[in-house]
Amino acid sequence: MESNLQVVDLTKQFPGFKLDHVSFSIPKGAIVGLIGENGAGKSTTIYGILDLVKKDEGVVTFRGEQLSSDNKLAKEDIGVVFDGINFYETLTPSKIGKISSAAYQQWDHQVYDSYLQKFDLPPTKEIKTFSRGMKMKLSIAVALSHNPKLLILDEATSGLDPVMREDILEVFLDFVQDEEHSILMSSHITADLEKVADYIIFIHKGKVLFSKTKDELRYQYGIIRCGASGFESIDKGDILAWRKSDYQWDVLVEDKERARRKYKSLVVDDATIDEILLLYVKGERVK
């Protein structure tokens, strides 16, 4: 499968934190969700990809070409939306369009105007009058309007109400329909990723714990819910992680159908991405 982006051994050391040899790829036509708790390394990964922080180790390639701060042509094909507005708040969307047309060779005024209309953004109002959600929509409109091949989104649906989030997710799905475009989407709203992502990358304490298809996580992983005696009956080799509440053990397993056949007296539920993340982060591992 051809990739738009490949990350190999991306490493960055900070005082008290290390992004540790992070590797993954973003296939063409795919939406890849980047998940993890706050401070896990999601934003550092994105900054490292874009060369906004100096890497200690690692190589990032976009369509076979190595990305660096000097590679302006490759970055023309990458749209980026951070968790926050990156424009002076005295500007208006119309002025941002004029500035962007000078900054990007591939800028498309018609596409930009259509997104302003779709997102209900007044062209002549200053950004400082916008809500947080409106500012995010404006950033997304700008990112989509210079015809990028890859979108990199850091909490891009943050601050949007559920209806607008649904509209934005439809835009993202449309973006990858030609199977040439891709999206790397960091988000703490895992329900959004369950709707649109093809792959999920889970970063924990600076390391990639897994990179799997969303369907594998949603349709194969499961959670055994049981009491003390049930927990003792589970083979330790079947346990990915476990957590005890007052009277119940929640046990994460990789193959729920196999668990249902093997442990017929125990309840084996489907697992959401949120539950998988929580058990990996807060749960215990078998030593």
Side-chain angles (χ1 to χ4, degrees):
M1 187 178 296
E2 286 189 78
S3 297
N4 267 331
L5 188 80
Q6 287 190 315
V7 179
V8 179
D9 290 333
L10 181 60
T11 302
K12 178 65 180 177
Q13 178 76 57
F14 294 102
F17 176 78
K18 182 180 182 181
L19 192 70
D20 193 359
H21 295 87
V22 167
S23 299
F24 58 87
S25 62
I26 310 294
K28 290 183 177 181
I31 297 177
V32 177
L34 187 62
I35 66 172
E37 72 275 27
N38 289 338
K42 302 188 298 298
S43 293
T44 303
T45 298
I46 289 174
Y47 294 156
I49 289 170
L50 297 171
D51 210 35
L52 297 176
V53 296
K54 183 175 177 56
K55 300 182 284 291
D56 296 331
E57 296 180 49
V59 176
V60 179
T61 54
F62 173 69
R63 295 194 160 206
E65 188 173 355
Q66 189 168 331
L67 274 182
S68 69
S69 56
D70 298 326
N71 192 336
K72 294 182 173 59
L73 288 178
K75 289 189 176 179
E76 178 99 7
D77 287 327
I78 300 176
V80 181
V81 179
F82 291 113
D83 182 18
I85 196 76
N86 293 308
F87 306 110
Y88 291 115
E89 298 218 333
T90 53
L91 293 174
T92 66
S94 290
K95 289 178 181 177
I96 288 171
K98 292 176 182 177
I99 294 169
S100 299
S101 67
Y104 295 104
Q105 297 176 19
Q106 300 169 168
W107 184 259
D108 191 319
H109 281 291
Q110 288 186 327
V111 170
Y112 182 60
D113 289 342
S114 71
Y115 279 120
L116 293 184
Q117 186 172 5
K118 180 180 182 64
F119 295 156
D120 197 25
L121 297 172
T124 58
K125 283 196 172 182
E126 293 184 350
I127 299 172
K128 64 184 178 183
T129 67
F130 286 8
S131 67
R132 174 177 170 80
M134 292 171 72
K135 291 175 182 177
M136 292 302 296
K137 288 187 285 184
L138 177 60
S139 295
I140 292 168
V142 172
L144 288 166
S145 296
H146 58 85
N147 294 312
K149 300 293 191 299
L150 170 69
L151 279 179
I152 296 180
L153 309 166
D154 190 6
E155 301 292 351
T157 55
S158 175
L160 301 179
D161 64 63
V163 173
M164 182 48 64
R165 287 213 327 269
E166 190 75 21
D167 291 342
I168 294 294
L169 295 178
E170 288 179 8
V171 169
F172 293 162
L173 287 170
D174 288 341
F175 178 76
V176 299
Q177 281 307 301
D178 65 355
E179 299 189 354
E180 282 294 317
H181 298 110
S182 307
I183 297 176
L184 174 62
M185 182 177 176
S186 165
S187 180
H188 70 277
I189 307 175
T190 56
D192 288 349
L193 298 178
E194 288 186 354
K195 291 177 182 176
V196 300
D198 301 290
Y199 301 88
I200 299 291
I201 300 164
F202 179 28
I203 292 184
H204 178 56
K205 295 183 178 179
K207 294 183 178 182
V208 173
L209 280 191
F210 61 70
S211 177
K212 296 181 180 291
T213 68
K214 178 192 68 180
D215 287 349
E216 182 179 353
L217 294 172
R218 289 289 290 112
Y219 301 121
Q220 293 186 25
Y221 277 52
I223 298 176
I224 300 175
R225 307 192 195 276
C226 58
S229 60
F231 179 73
E232 292 300 323
S233 73
I234 300 172
D235 289 342
K236 298 305 179 276
D238 293 334
I239 299 173
L240 296 176
W242 60 274
R243 192 179 189 200
K244 180 183 179 300
S245 55
D246 289 341
Y247 301 104
Q248 177 175 289
W249 276 254
D250 291 341
V251 181
L252 184 66
V253 294
E254 193 169 6
D255 187 337
K256 64 187 176 187
E257 294 304 330
R258 179 176 176 274
R260 284 167 179 161
R261 293 192 299 270
K262 187 173 180 179
Y263 306 108
K264 293 181 180 178
S265 64
L266 304 181
V267 174
V268 184
D269 286 338
D270 297 341
T272 66
I273 293 175
D274 255 347
E275 289 173 318
I276 294 170
L277 187 153
L278 182 64
L279 278 164
Y280 265 115
V281 172
K282 296 289 189 182
E284 304 286 339
R285 311 283 184 86
V286 175
K287 293 182 175 63

